[in-house]
Amino acid sequence: MAGPSKSLILDPALQKYYEVNSNRYKYFRWTPRTAWHSLLYMVLIPASLGYVAYKSDGKYDFRGKRRGDTIAEW
């Protein structure tokens, strides 16, 4: 038969991991490392991607090109 039986033994280490993971917000602490990671992922990466997208907007045209044509419009 499919499915767990009554003799299923749960791993205590995995159970502890699941508990800590579901309550992670209770154990979070701001440190210089977490502050740097937050700044990096919330400000620096989106800003750099936005800058690259803004600078290359309309520069490349991939539609209707033939062999030998350049994709740069300006």
Side-chain angles (χ1 to χ4, degrees):
M1 292 299 225
S5 63
K6 291 184 179 182
S7 64
L8 179 66
I9 299 171
L10 299 174
D11 186 8
L14 281 177
Q15 293 295 59
K16 182 178 179 184
Y17 172 76
Y18 295 148
E19 282 294 316
V20 169
N21 199 23
S22 65
N23 297 317
R24 188 172 299 273
Y25 68 96
K26 295 178 185 175
Y27 304 106
F28 180 77
R29 177 179 286 172
W30 281 104
T31 62
R33 182 177 182 216
T34 58
W36 170 247
H37 283 211
S38 299
L39 177 73
L40 179 72
Y41 290 126
M42 291 190 294
V43 176
L44 297 179
I45 291 176
S48 62
L49 289 175
Y51 177 76
V52 169
Y54 180 74
K55 283 298 183 181
S56 64
D57 185 35
K59 186 174 183 179
Y60 303 107
D61 185 20
F62 295 108
R63 299 182 71 191
K65 296 295 179 181
R66 295 187 177 156
R67 187 180 316 169
D69 290 345
T70 144
I71 62 169
E73 292 295 317
W74 46 274

